[in-house]
Amino acid sequence: MKNVVILFLSVFLLYSCKNEETFTGDAPNFVLNVETSQLEPVPGTYMYIRGVAQASNSLESVRIKIEDWELDKTITMKSDDIKTYDVDYKFMAPDDVDSEKNAEINVMVTDKAGLQTQYQFFASATGDSSAPEIFANKNIRLQLPEFYEVVSTGATTDFNLEFDAVDEKMLKEISVVCEDINYSKQISVHAMDYHFVDKLSLTESKQYIIGITATDNDGNKVKKELSVMLGLKDYDVMYFADVNTDEELNSDLYGIPMEAVKEGNYIFSATYYNRNANTEVRFLTDETTFTQTTFGLDEKGKLTSGSNTTDVKPVVLPKANQYYKVTLNLIDMTVTAKEVTPPADKYASTVIGLLRGATGWTADKVTWAPANKDVMTKYDENTYLMYIDLEVSAASNNLAFTFTANAWNPYFYFRSAQEPDIIVPMKEGAHANYPYSITQNTTYRFYLDTYASRSWAVPVSASNGE
Protein backbone atom coordinates (compact mmCIF):
# COMPACT_ATOMS: atom_id res chain seq x y z
CA MET A 1 0.00 0.00 0.00
CA LYS A 2 1.27 3.49 -0.78
CA ASN A 3 2.59 5.54 2.07
CA VAL A 4 -0.11 8.20 2.22
CA VAL A 5 0.74 10.84 4.77
CA ILE A 6 -1.92 13.52 5.09
CA LEU A 7 -2.77 15.82 7.95
CA PHE A 8 -6.24 17.32 7.68
CA LEU A 9 -6.22 20.86 8.99
CA SER A 10 -9.42 22.77 8.33
CA VAL A 11 -12.30 23.60 6.00
CA PHE A 12 -13.35 27.16 5.14
CA LEU A 13 -16.53 28.40 3.44
CA LEU A 14 -15.83 31.39 1.21
CA TYR A 15 -18.77 33.26 -0.32
CA SER A 16 -18.67 35.40 -3.49
CA CYS A 17 -21.30 37.83 -4.73
CA LYS A 18 -21.92 36.01 -7.98
CA ASN A 19 -25.59 34.93 -8.14
CA GLU A 20 -25.64 34.68 -4.38
CA GLU A 21 -29.34 35.59 -4.23
CA THR A 22 -30.22 32.52 -6.31
CA PHE A 23 -28.18 30.04 -4.27
CA THR A 24 -30.36 27.56 -2.42
CA GLY A 25 -28.27 24.35 -2.34
CA ASP A 26 -25.60 22.98 -0.04
CA ALA A 27 -22.00 24.18 -0.09
CA PRO A 28 -19.71 22.33 -2.49
CA ASN A 29 -17.40 19.75 -0.96
CA PHE A 30 -14.35 17.66 -1.67
CA VAL A 31 -13.59 14.20 -0.26
CA LEU A 32 -9.96 13.14 -0.54
CA ASN A 33 -9.32 9.49 -1.41
CA VAL A 34 -6.68 8.66 1.19
CA GLU A 35 -6.16 5.18 -0.23
CA THR A 36 -5.06 6.22 -3.73
CA SER A 37 -3.62 9.68 -3.13
CA GLN A 38 0.15 9.93 -2.74
CA LEU A 39 1.09 13.01 -0.78
CA GLU A 40 4.46 12.01 0.63
CA PRO A 41 6.92 14.02 -1.46
CA VAL A 42 10.08 12.36 -2.74
CA PRO A 43 12.28 14.71 -4.81
CA GLY A 44 11.73 14.20 -8.56
CA THR A 45 8.84 11.72 -8.20
CA TYR A 46 5.14 12.07 -8.94
CA MET A 47 2.52 12.86 -6.36
CA TYR A 48 -1.24 12.39 -6.76
CA ILE A 49 -4.29 14.19 -5.41
CA ARG A 50 -7.35 12.03 -5.94
CA GLY A 51 -10.87 12.46 -4.64
CA VAL A 52 -14.41 13.54 -5.47
CA ALA A 53 -15.72 17.11 -5.76
CA GLN A 54 -19.49 17.67 -5.55
CA ALA A 55 -21.95 20.58 -5.72
CA SER A 56 -25.73 20.61 -5.60
CA ASN A 57 -25.78 23.64 -7.95
CA SER A 58 -23.24 22.11 -10.39
CA LEU A 59 -19.50 22.62 -10.27
CA GLU A 60 -17.65 25.60 -11.68
CA SER A 61 -14.05 24.68 -10.90
CA VAL A 62 -11.56 22.84 -8.70
CA ARG A 63 -8.37 24.70 -7.84
CA ILE A 64 -5.26 23.05 -6.38
CA LYS A 65 -2.63 25.34 -4.93
CA ILE A 66 0.70 24.66 -3.15
CA GLU A 67 2.24 28.07 -2.63
CA ASP A 68 5.59 26.80 -1.28
CA TRP A 69 6.13 24.85 -4.50
CA GLU A 70 4.74 27.56 -6.82
CA LEU A 71 1.98 25.22 -7.96
CA ASP A 72 -1.42 26.66 -8.89
CA LYS A 73 -3.75 24.59 -11.06
CA THR A 74 -7.41 25.33 -11.83
CA ILE A 75 -9.62 22.66 -13.39
CA THR A 76 -12.64 24.35 -15.06
CA MET A 77 -15.75 22.33 -15.81
CA LYS A 78 -16.59 22.18 -19.53
CA SER A 79 -20.30 21.72 -18.92
CA ASP A 80 -22.83 23.61 -16.82
CA ASP A 81 -24.48 20.52 -15.34
CA ILE A 82 -21.56 18.65 -13.78
CA LYS A 83 -22.42 18.03 -10.14
CA THR A 84 -19.80 15.37 -9.43
CA TYR A 85 -16.21 15.36 -10.63
CA ASP A 86 -13.47 12.78 -10.02
CA VAL A 87 -10.28 14.68 -9.28
CA ASP A 88 -7.13 12.87 -10.41
CA TYR A 89 -4.29 15.37 -10.52
CA LYS A 90 -0.66 14.35 -10.98
CA PHE A 91 2.31 16.61 -10.32
CA MET A 92 6.01 16.19 -9.56
CA ALA A 93 7.59 16.90 -6.19
CA PRO A 94 10.30 19.58 -6.36
CA ASP A 95 13.91 18.41 -6.49
CA ASP A 96 14.70 20.53 -3.45
CA VAL A 97 11.74 19.46 -1.30
CA ASP A 98 12.52 20.15 2.36
CA SER A 99 12.15 16.98 4.42
CA GLU A 100 11.90 19.07 7.57
CA LYS A 101 8.97 21.15 6.36
CA ASN A 102 5.32 20.31 5.67
CA ALA A 103 3.91 21.81 2.47
CA GLU A 104 0.36 23.22 2.69
CA ILE A 105 -2.01 21.93 0.01
CA ASN A 106 -5.17 23.95 -0.67
CA VAL A 107 -8.08 22.47 -2.63
CA MET A 108 -10.82 25.02 -3.45
CA VAL A 109 -14.14 23.85 -4.89
CA THR A 110 -16.43 26.48 -6.48
CA ASP A 111 -19.98 25.93 -7.69
CA LYS A 112 -22.07 27.76 -10.33
CA ALA A 113 -23.69 29.89 -7.62
CA GLY A 114 -20.29 31.28 -6.67
CA LEU A 115 -20.06 29.49 -3.34
CA GLN A 116 -16.62 28.18 -2.60
CA THR A 117 -15.29 25.71 -0.03
CA GLN A 118 -11.58 25.53 0.73
CA TYR A 119 -9.83 22.47 2.14
CA GLN A 120 -6.31 22.39 3.53
CA PHE A 121 -3.99 19.40 3.82
CA PHE A 122 -0.32 18.91 4.59
CA ALA A 123 2.12 16.95 2.46
CA SER A 124 4.93 15.64 4.64
CA ALA A 125 8.25 14.17 3.58
CA THR A 126 8.43 12.32 6.87
CA GLY A 127 6.89 8.85 6.70
CA ASP A 128 4.37 7.44 9.17
CA SER A 129 6.37 4.84 11.08
CA SER A 130 4.56 4.83 14.41
CA ALA A 131 1.34 3.04 15.29
CA PRO A 132 -1.75 4.87 16.55
CA GLU A 133 -2.38 5.22 20.27
CA ILE A 134 -5.52 4.54 22.30
CA PHE A 135 -6.35 6.63 25.36
CA ALA A 136 -9.16 7.01 27.85
CA ASN A 137 -8.64 10.75 27.37
CA LYS A 138 -6.52 12.05 24.50
CA ASN A 139 -6.17 15.55 25.95
CA ILE A 140 -4.25 14.41 29.00
CA ARG A 141 -2.95 11.18 27.44
CA LEU A 142 -4.75 9.13 30.08
CA GLN A 143 -4.18 5.43 29.48
CA LEU A 144 -7.20 3.22 28.83
CA PRO A 145 -7.67 0.70 31.70
CA GLU A 146 -7.47 -2.95 30.74
CA PHE A 147 -9.88 -4.11 33.43
CA TYR A 148 -13.38 -2.98 34.40
CA GLU A 149 -15.64 -4.27 37.14
CA VAL A 150 -19.36 -3.66 36.53
CA VAL A 151 -22.15 -4.16 39.05
CA SER A 152 -25.23 -5.84 37.60
CA THR A 153 -28.32 -3.64 37.64
CA GLY A 154 -30.90 -6.03 36.22
CA ALA A 155 -31.49 -8.60 33.51
CA THR A 156 -29.38 -6.49 31.14
CA THR A 157 -26.59 -4.13 32.15
CA ASP A 158 -25.19 -1.53 29.76
CA PHE A 159 -21.43 -1.02 29.75
CA ASN A 160 -20.44 2.36 28.35
CA LEU A 161 -17.31 1.90 26.26
CA GLU A 162 -15.54 5.17 25.55
CA PHE A 163 -12.03 5.86 24.28
CA ASP A 164 -9.92 8.08 22.00
CA ALA A 165 -7.73 6.82 19.15
CA VAL A 166 -4.95 9.15 17.96
CA ASP A 167 -2.39 8.98 15.14
CA GLU A 168 0.38 11.42 14.27
CA LYS A 169 -0.60 11.42 10.60
CA MET A 170 -4.06 10.00 9.95
CA LEU A 171 -6.25 7.16 11.16
CA LYS A 172 -7.82 4.77 8.69
CA GLU A 173 -10.06 2.47 10.74
CA ILE A 174 -11.27 1.68 14.26
CA SER A 175 -12.46 -1.86 15.01
CA VAL A 176 -14.24 -2.95 18.20
CA VAL A 177 -15.17 -6.61 18.72
CA CYS A 178 -16.74 -8.50 21.64
CA GLU A 179 -17.45 -12.10 20.59
CA ASP A 180 -19.18 -12.85 23.90
CA ILE A 181 -22.15 -10.73 22.81
CA ASN A 182 -21.68 -10.96 19.02
CA TYR A 183 -20.72 -7.28 18.90
CA SER A 184 -18.62 -6.03 16.01
CA LYS A 185 -18.18 -2.49 14.73
CA GLN A 186 -15.76 -1.15 12.10
CA ILE A 187 -15.51 2.60 11.56
CA SER A 188 -13.69 4.26 8.65
CA VAL A 189 -11.80 7.29 9.88
CA HIS A 190 -10.04 9.99 7.88
CA ALA A 191 -8.73 12.19 10.66
CA MET A 192 -5.90 12.35 13.17
CA ASP A 193 -8.12 11.31 16.07
CA TYR A 194 -11.47 9.70 16.78
CA HIS A 195 -13.64 9.62 19.89
CA PHE A 196 -15.52 6.32 20.25
CA VAL A 197 -18.64 5.98 22.42
CA ASP A 198 -21.09 3.06 22.49
CA LYS A 199 -23.12 0.92 24.90
CA LEU A 200 -22.57 -2.83 25.13
CA SER A 201 -25.45 -4.82 26.61
CA LEU A 202 -24.23 -7.47 29.06
CA THR A 203 -26.60 -10.15 30.33
CA GLU A 204 -24.58 -12.75 32.28
CA SER A 205 -22.35 -12.57 35.34
CA LYS A 206 -19.08 -13.43 33.61
CA GLN A 207 -15.99 -12.02 32.01
CA TYR A 208 -16.34 -10.20 28.68
CA ILE A 209 -13.31 -9.58 26.45
CA ILE A 210 -13.41 -6.50 24.20
CA GLY A 211 -10.83 -6.16 21.45
CA ILE A 212 -9.98 -2.71 20.06
CA THR A 213 -7.82 -2.19 16.97
CA ALA A 214 -6.79 1.18 15.51
CA THR A 215 -5.14 1.26 12.08
CA ASP A 216 -3.50 4.22 10.37
CA ASN A 217 -3.18 4.95 6.66
CA ASP A 218 0.22 3.33 6.45
CA GLY A 219 -0.98 0.02 7.92
CA ASN A 220 0.43 0.55 11.41
CA LYS A 221 -1.83 -0.98 14.06
CA VAL A 222 -2.32 -0.90 17.79
CA LYS A 223 -4.44 -3.47 19.61
CA LYS A 224 -5.98 -3.27 23.08
CA GLU A 225 -7.83 -6.00 24.93
CA LEU A 226 -10.20 -5.00 27.71
CA SER A 227 -11.62 -7.32 30.37
CA VAL A 228 -15.06 -6.44 31.72
CA MET A 229 -16.35 -8.38 34.73
CA LEU A 230 -20.09 -8.26 35.31
CA GLY A 231 -21.62 -9.17 38.65
CA LEU A 232 -18.54 -10.94 40.08
CA LYS A 233 -16.78 -9.83 43.24
CA ASP A 234 -13.02 -9.67 43.36
CA TYR A 235 -11.08 -9.89 46.62
CA ASP A 236 -7.95 -8.12 47.76
CA VAL A 237 -6.79 -11.18 49.67
CA MET A 238 -7.63 -14.87 49.79
CA TYR A 239 -6.49 -17.60 52.17
CA PHE A 240 -5.77 -21.31 51.77
CA ALA A 241 -6.51 -23.85 54.50
CA ASP A 242 -6.05 -27.58 55.03
CA VAL A 243 -8.33 -27.80 58.09
CA ASN A 244 -12.12 -28.06 58.44
CA THR A 245 -13.22 -26.02 61.48
CA ASP A 246 -12.94 -22.49 62.81
CA GLU A 247 -11.33 -23.90 65.95
CA GLU A 248 -8.54 -25.44 63.87
CA LEU A 249 -8.11 -22.21 61.91
CA ASN A 250 -7.33 -20.42 65.17
CA SER A 251 -5.31 -23.16 66.84
CA ASP A 252 -2.08 -22.11 65.19
CA LEU A 253 0.16 -19.26 66.22
CA TYR A 254 0.17 -17.87 62.67
CA GLY A 255 0.06 -19.07 59.09
CA ILE A 256 -2.99 -21.34 58.94
CA PRO A 257 -4.72 -20.45 56.81
CA MET A 258 -1.86 -19.30 54.59
CA GLU A 259 -2.27 -16.23 52.43
CA ALA A 260 -2.72 -17.20 48.79
CA VAL A 261 -0.89 -15.46 45.96
CA LYS A 262 -3.03 -13.10 43.90
CA GLU A 263 -1.92 -13.80 40.34
CA GLY A 264 -4.35 -11.36 38.73
CA ASN A 265 -7.89 -10.11 38.96
CA TYR A 266 -10.09 -12.92 40.34
CA ILE A 267 -7.24 -15.47 40.27
CA PHE A 268 -5.48 -16.84 43.37
CA SER A 269 -3.07 -19.72 43.89
CA ALA A 270 -1.25 -21.56 46.66
CA THR A 271 1.78 -23.83 46.42
CA TYR A 272 1.31 -26.59 48.98
CA TYR A 273 3.31 -29.65 50.04
CA ASN A 274 0.91 -32.52 50.58
CA ARG A 275 2.52 -34.77 53.20
CA ASN A 276 -0.47 -37.06 53.60
CA ALA A 277 -2.63 -38.64 50.91
CA ASN A 278 -6.11 -37.23 50.27
CA THR A 279 -5.63 -33.94 52.12
CA GLU A 280 -8.71 -31.69 52.03
CA VAL A 281 -8.15 -28.01 51.16
CA ARG A 282 -10.32 -24.93 50.56
CA PHE A 283 -9.98 -21.21 49.87
CA LEU A 284 -11.60 -18.66 52.18
CA THR A 285 -11.81 -14.88 52.46
CA ASP A 286 -11.39 -14.55 56.25
CA GLU A 287 -8.37 -16.14 57.90
CA THR A 288 -10.23 -16.68 61.18
CA THR A 289 -13.51 -18.24 60.02
CA PHE A 290 -15.18 -20.24 57.27
CA THR A 291 -18.49 -18.42 57.87
CA GLN A 292 -17.70 -15.43 55.63
CA THR A 293 -17.04 -16.84 52.15
CA THR A 294 -15.51 -20.26 51.54
CA PHE A 295 -14.71 -21.67 48.11
CA GLY A 296 -14.65 -25.38 47.32
CA LEU A 297 -16.67 -27.89 45.32
CA ASP A 298 -20.34 -28.78 45.13
CA GLU A 299 -21.79 -32.29 44.91
CA LYS A 300 -21.07 -32.40 41.17
CA GLY A 301 -17.45 -31.31 41.53
CA LYS A 302 -18.03 -27.74 40.33
CA LEU A 303 -16.69 -24.66 42.08
CA THR A 304 -19.08 -23.25 44.66
CA SER A 305 -19.01 -20.91 47.62
CA GLY A 306 -20.76 -20.87 50.97
CA SER A 307 -20.44 -20.01 54.64
CA ASN A 308 -19.45 -23.41 56.08
CA THR A 309 -17.42 -26.51 55.30
CA THR A 310 -20.46 -28.78 55.27
CA ASP A 311 -22.05 -27.38 52.11
CA VAL A 312 -18.70 -26.48 50.50
CA LYS A 313 -16.88 -29.71 49.81
CA PRO A 314 -13.06 -29.69 49.84
CA VAL A 315 -10.64 -30.10 46.98
CA VAL A 316 -8.85 -33.39 47.64
CA LEU A 317 -5.11 -33.66 46.97
CA PRO A 318 -4.55 -37.39 46.38
CA LYS A 319 -0.78 -37.98 46.42
CA ALA A 320 1.32 -38.03 49.56
CA ASN A 321 4.71 -36.27 49.58
CA GLN A 322 3.74 -34.23 46.53
CA TYR A 323 3.80 -30.48 45.85
CA TYR A 324 0.64 -29.05 44.31
CA LYS A 325 -0.23 -25.69 42.87
CA VAL A 326 -3.90 -25.13 43.69
CA THR A 327 -5.52 -22.34 41.66
CA LEU A 328 -8.86 -20.62 42.25
CA ASN A 329 -10.21 -18.86 39.14
CA LEU A 330 -13.34 -16.83 39.83
CA ILE A 331 -13.62 -15.87 36.16
CA ASP A 332 -13.92 -19.43 34.89
CA MET A 333 -15.46 -20.57 38.21
CA THR A 334 -12.91 -23.37 38.50
CA VAL A 335 -10.47 -24.66 41.09
CA THR A 336 -7.63 -26.85 39.85
CA ALA A 337 -4.80 -28.77 41.52
CA LYS A 338 -1.68 -29.35 39.45
CA GLU A 339 1.24 -31.51 40.56
CA VAL A 340 4.51 -29.59 40.80
CA THR A 341 8.01 -31.07 40.80
CA PRO A 342 10.57 -28.71 42.34
CA PRO A 343 14.20 -28.68 41.22
CA ALA A 344 16.90 -30.30 43.31
CA ASP A 345 17.28 -28.54 46.66
CA LYS A 346 20.64 -26.73 46.56
CA TYR A 347 20.43 -26.31 50.35
CA ALA A 348 19.64 -29.96 51.04
CA SER A 349 22.78 -30.43 53.13
CA THR A 350 22.79 -26.91 54.61
CA VAL A 351 21.98 -26.65 58.30
CA ILE A 352 19.13 -24.17 58.74
CA GLY A 353 17.74 -23.07 62.05
CA LEU A 354 15.31 -20.77 63.80
CA LEU A 355 17.06 -17.79 65.36
CA ARG A 356 15.17 -16.43 68.35
CA GLY A 357 14.78 -12.73 68.99
CA ALA A 358 14.27 -10.85 72.24
CA THR A 359 10.56 -11.54 72.89
CA GLY A 360 8.11 -14.41 73.08
CA TRP A 361 10.31 -17.29 74.21
CA THR A 362 10.44 -19.13 77.54
CA ALA A 363 14.13 -19.94 77.12
CA ASP A 364 16.74 -17.27 77.72
CA LYS A 365 17.65 -15.19 74.70
CA VAL A 366 21.08 -15.91 73.30
CA THR A 367 23.24 -13.54 71.29
CA TRP A 368 21.71 -12.71 67.88
CA ALA A 369 24.11 -14.67 65.65
CA PRO A 370 23.76 -17.59 63.24
CA ALA A 371 25.89 -19.82 65.44
CA ASN A 372 23.21 -19.63 68.15
CA LYS A 373 20.31 -20.79 65.97
CA ASP A 374 18.05 -23.67 67.01
CA VAL A 375 18.68 -26.31 64.32
CA MET A 376 15.61 -27.44 62.38
CA THR A 377 14.95 -31.04 61.34
CA LYS A 378 14.55 -31.66 57.62
CA TYR A 379 12.23 -34.34 56.30
CA ASP A 380 14.05 -37.14 54.51
CA GLU A 381 11.48 -37.24 51.72
CA ASN A 382 11.55 -33.45 51.20
CA THR A 383 14.52 -31.38 52.35
CA TYR A 384 12.69 -28.17 51.43
CA LEU A 385 10.41 -28.83 54.43
CA MET A 386 11.74 -28.66 57.99
CA TYR A 387 10.51 -28.13 61.56
CA ILE A 388 11.52 -27.44 65.14
CA ASP A 389 9.65 -27.56 68.48
CA LEU A 390 10.06 -24.55 70.77
CA GLU A 391 8.11 -23.26 73.75
CA VAL A 392 6.31 -19.93 73.45
CA SER A 393 5.77 -17.77 76.51
CA ALA A 394 2.28 -16.78 77.65
CA ALA A 395 3.72 -13.74 79.39
CA SER A 396 4.76 -12.04 76.20
CA ASN A 397 2.62 -10.75 73.33
CA ASN A 398 5.16 -10.58 70.51
CA LEU A 399 7.25 -13.31 68.96
CA ALA A 400 10.51 -12.22 67.34
CA PHE A 401 12.54 -14.61 65.17
CA THR A 402 13.82 -15.45 61.72
CA PHE A 403 15.39 -18.41 59.88
CA THR A 404 19.02 -18.58 58.86
CA ALA A 405 22.08 -20.78 58.29
CA ASN A 406 25.76 -20.25 58.97
CA ALA A 407 27.19 -16.78 58.30
CA TRP A 408 23.69 -15.47 57.44
CA ASN A 409 23.67 -17.35 54.15
CA PRO A 410 21.13 -18.50 53.25
CA TYR A 411 18.65 -16.54 55.30
CA PHE A 412 14.87 -16.56 54.98
CA TYR A 413 13.09 -13.41 56.09
CA PHE A 414 9.42 -12.60 56.25
CA ARG A 415 7.77 -10.32 53.71
CA SER A 416 6.70 -8.15 56.63
CA ALA A 417 6.32 -8.49 60.37
CA GLN A 418 2.54 -8.36 59.91
CA GLU A 419 2.54 -11.30 57.47
CA PRO A 420 4.85 -13.90 58.99
CA ASP A 421 3.46 -16.80 56.96
CA ILE A 422 5.01 -15.50 53.71
CA ILE A 423 8.74 -16.00 53.34
CA VAL A 424 11.03 -14.01 51.04
CA PRO A 425 13.96 -16.37 50.50
CA MET A 426 17.52 -15.11 50.29
CA LYS A 427 16.60 -11.45 50.79
CA GLU A 428 17.04 -9.16 53.73
CA GLY A 429 13.70 -8.20 55.21
CA ALA A 430 11.62 -8.08 58.36
CA HIS A 431 11.90 -10.34 61.35
CA ALA A 432 8.62 -11.80 62.50
CA ASN A 433 7.33 -9.76 65.39
CA TYR A 434 4.00 -11.48 65.59
CA PRO A 435 1.38 -10.46 68.20
CA TYR A 436 -0.42 -13.33 69.87
CA SER A 437 -2.35 -14.28 73.00
CA ILE A 438 -2.10 -17.64 74.79
CA THR A 439 -3.18 -18.51 78.31
CA GLN A 440 -0.27 -20.81 79.16
CA ASN A 441 3.19 -21.55 77.90
CA THR A 442 2.82 -23.83 74.85
CA THR A 443 5.27 -25.81 72.74
CA TYR A 444 4.71 -25.05 69.07
CA ARG A 445 6.06 -26.83 66.05
CA PHE A 446 7.46 -24.22 63.67
CA TYR A 447 7.51 -25.26 60.01
CA LEU A 448 9.56 -23.76 57.19
CA ASP A 449 8.99 -24.67 53.53
CA THR A 450 11.73 -23.00 51.48
CA TYR A 451 10.23 -24.09 48.14
CA ALA A 452 6.67 -22.90 48.80
CA SER A 453 8.06 -19.86 50.68
CA ARG A 454 5.76 -20.51 53.62
CA SER A 455 6.04 -20.82 57.38
CA TRP A 456 3.46 -21.78 60.02
CA ALA A 457 3.30 -22.89 63.64
CA VAL A 458 0.88 -25.26 65.41
CA PRO A 459 0.81 -26.72 68.90
CA VAL A 460 2.78 -29.96 69.14
CA SER A 461 -0.40 -31.70 70.27
CA ALA A 462 -1.99 -30.75 66.94
CA SER A 463 0.97 -31.93 64.85
CA ASN A 464 0.50 -35.66 65.50
CA GLY A 465 3.57 -35.66 67.79
CA GLU A 466 6.03 -35.89 64.90
Side-chain angles (χ1 to χ4, degrees), residues 87-140:
V87 178
D88 189 352
Y89 181 64
K90 179 176 72 173
F91 59 99
M92 185 169 289
D95 291 335
D96 60 348
V97 62
D98 188 351
S99 62
E100 300 300 321
K101 183 178 180 181
N102 291 327
E104 182 180 287
I105 302 174
N106 289 279
V107 177
M108 291 154 280
V109 184
T110 306
D111 68 8
K112 294 294 184 180
L115 185 62
Q116 183 182 86
T117 309
Q118 178 174 312
Y119 296 82
Q120 290 181 344
F121 306 91
F122 274 150
S124 172
T126 303
D128 188 355
S129 59
S130 62
E133 296 179 277
I134 296 174
F135 300 102
N137 186 309
K138 67 182 180 183
N139 297 318
I140 59 176

Side-chain angles (χ1 to χ4, degrees), residues 373-387:
K373 64 184 178 295
D374 296 294
V375 175
M376 304 186 77
T377 300
K378 297 185 179 183
Y379 286 94
D380 293 336
E381 65 273 18
N382 178 16
T383 57
Y384 283 108
L385 182 65
M386 59 202 79
Y387 71 93

Side-chain angles (χ1 to χ4, degrees), residues 250-317:
N250 295 282
S251 67
D252 65 313
L253 199 62
Y254 67 90
I256 296 178
M258 298 176 290
E259 183 178 334
V261 175
K262 184 163 188 175
E263 296 192 349
N265 297 313
Y266 299 89
I267 300 176
F268 300 85
S269 71
T271 299
Y272 179 83
Y273 182 66
N274 193 42
R275 293 183 54 220
N276 302 306
N278 299 319
T279 302
E280 299 180 348
V281 297
R282 297 176 180 85
F283 288 91
L284 61 161
T285 60
D286 188 315
E287 61 183 324
T288 65
T289 178
F290 288 104
T291 61
Q292 291 302 314
T293 304
T294 301
F295 291 94
L297 302 177
D298 62 17
E299 296 291 348
K300 297 181 179 179
K302 303 295 185 181
L303 180 67
T304 189
S305 62
S307 58
N308 58 67
T309 56
T310 301
D311 296 335
V312 180
K313 306 301 179 185
V315 177
V316 177
L317 306 180

